[in-house]
């Protein structure tokens, strides 16, 4: 745990040095306005943050709930046996193993870590109005640490978050392209093809009524909806994965965000299409967690919606005009994130997470997999 605590303390302290400038970023901004001292600080700090997070993730071995399972899947892919993983994961694994000449699973995990961080960083930098608070929430709410545990899904989640900017701009071809590439690694991301455009709409009363009917239907048509899930995930049939369950922490979190957003709705959300998108995502997530608790993939669907919290909350707090109120609300958000992080790390070594104890291939070896044991 010392590795994670040191990491999170260092990266949050460095992230405080990042400040978005009015001139923007990138080569065009540098050509038009020149590179300022703050621009250089931003570049150096962002590279450091990326390198620090990537290093901890890429150097790990047998850390993460699915690590050993993925090593086994990679072996089967290279052996050209059947695996239930998506084509992108299989192709990447085979290409790496073939080019290396041996089963280099360490490199495959490193590539996934790089891709996941790349999309999250691009989304945070390009879409957050308050990078520091968004980055702090990204760390304290466990998104980075869960990417160590669930590599395929969090790559897809990062790509989904990155695609939001195309949804806001109504650039549907680019949005669809990013999502389709993401589904090559985790097909659950396909749900955002419906959810994000729905959240992009300015909801009318009849739309809210339809949503209410769908929520009520979940009380009576659970078997029908489960059949749809099995059709999408055939490997779930007759397994414990069909057992549903909801997260009371996620319900409480969505409810608190709803209360905060209703307080600022008139001034910050009603006529702001980006914040209205985040607002609708939160409402969809809340409805899903309350009425869709029987769904076995509820958490995966819900995360595609609640990941917007790390953009939505900073956007609201940054624009609070009353300084004292802004400080109080920001302190409350940070305190809530710290409590969440403490709860998360308390169970970080248990099944389902397993990011503790942290081990690196520099000092540890990978235990034998199922294929290597022969039973």
């Amino acid at each position: 745990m010392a590795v994670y605590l040191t990491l999170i303390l260092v990266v949050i302290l460095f992230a405080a040095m990042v400040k978005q400038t009015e001139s923007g970023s990138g080569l065009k901004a540098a050509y038009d306005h020149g590179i300022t001292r703050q621009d250089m600080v931003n570049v150096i700090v962002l590279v450091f943050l990326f390198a620090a997070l990537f290093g901890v993730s890429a150097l790990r071995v047998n850390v993460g709930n699915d690590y050993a399972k993925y090593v086994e899947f990679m072996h089967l892919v290279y052996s050209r046996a059947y695996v239930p993983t998506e084509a992108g994961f299989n192709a990447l694994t085979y290409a790496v193993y073939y080019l290396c000449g041996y089963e280099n699973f360490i490199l495959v995990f490193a590539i996934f870590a790089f891709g996941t961080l790349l999309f999250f960083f691009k989304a945070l930098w390009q879409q957050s109005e308050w990078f520091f608070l968004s980055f702090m929430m990204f760390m304290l709410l466990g998104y980075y640490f869960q990417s160590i545990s669930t590599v395929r899904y969090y790559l897809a989640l990062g790509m989904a978050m990155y695609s939001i900017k195309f949804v806001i701009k109504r650039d549907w071809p680019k949005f669809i392209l990013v999502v389709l590439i993401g589904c090559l690694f985790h097909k659950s991301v396909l749900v955002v093809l419906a959810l994000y455009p729905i959240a992009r709409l300015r909801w009318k009363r009849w739309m809210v009524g339809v949503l209410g009917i769908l929520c009520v239907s979940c009380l009576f048509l659970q078997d029908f909806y489960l059949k749809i899930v099995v059709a999408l995930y055939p490997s779930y049939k007759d397994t414990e994965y069909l057992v549903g369950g909801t997260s009371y922490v996620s319900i409480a979190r969505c409810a608190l965000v709803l209360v905060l957003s209703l307080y600022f709705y008139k001034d910050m959300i009603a006529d702001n299409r980006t914040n209205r998108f985040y607002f609708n995502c939160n409402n969809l997530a809340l409805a899903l967690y309350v009425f869709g608790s029987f769904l076995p993939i509820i958490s995966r669907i819900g995360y595609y919606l609640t990941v917007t919290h790390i953009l939505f909350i900073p956007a609201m707090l940054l624009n609070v005009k009353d300084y004292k109120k802004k400080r109080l609300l920001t302190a409350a958000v940070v305190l809530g994130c710290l409590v969440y992080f403490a709860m998360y790390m308390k169970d970080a070594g248990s099944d389902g997470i397993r990011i503790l104890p942290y081990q690196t291939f520099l000092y540890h070896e990978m235990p034998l997999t199922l294929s290597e044991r022969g039973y």
Side-chain angles (χ1 to χ4, degrees), residues 12-30:
I12 288 178
L13 287 175
F14 271 82
M17 300 169 62
V18 175
K19 294 180 176 60
Q20 288 131 311
T21 58
E22 293 183 0
S23 62
S25 59
L27 295 176
K28 184 178 185 302

Side-chain angles (χ1 to χ4, degrees), residues 40-59:
M40 290 301 298
V41 171
N42 289 346
V43 171
I44 293 171
V45 173
L46 287 172
V47 170
F48 171 78
L49 296 177
F50 187 96
L53 298 183
F54 172 71
V56 170
S57 184
L59 292 175

Side-chain angles (χ1 to χ4, degrees), residues 217-228:
S217 72
C218 290
L219 302 176
F220 306 99
L221 300 175
Q222 294 184 5
D223 291 340
F224 172 73
Y225 291 133
L226 283 174
K227 288 181 180 178
I228 295 177

Side-chain angles (χ1 to χ4, degrees), residues 160-224:
M161 186 178 177
Y162 174 72
S163 74
I164 288 174
K165 71 175 187 177
F166 301 123
V167 177
I168 301 301
K169 297 177 182 178
R170 293 183 181 272
D171 190 345
W172 302 119
K174 290 182 180 178
F175 165 63
I176 294 172
L177 177 62
V178 172
V179 173
L180 290 180
I181 294 174
C183 81
L184 294 176
F185 299 94
H186 207 285
K187 60 186 175 183
S188 65
V189 74
L190 290 174
V191 300
V192 306
L193 289 176
L195 293 177
Y196 284 0
I198 290 173
R200 176 63 174 75
L201 298 172
R202 183 186 288 272
W203 289 5
K204 301 183 183 300
R205 290 184 179 179
W206 69 267
M207 296 178 182
V208 176
V210 170
L211 178 61
I213 292 173
L214 288 174
C215 290
V216 173
S217 72
C218 290
L219 302 176
F220 306 99
L221 300 175
Q222 294 184 5
D223 291 340
F224 172 73

Side-chain angles (χ1 to χ4, degrees), residues 323-336:
Y323 181 70
K324 291 184 178 180
K325 185 183 295 183
K326 180 178 179 178
R327 287 185 61 187
L328 181 62
L329 289 173
T330 302
V333 169
V334 173
L335 179 60

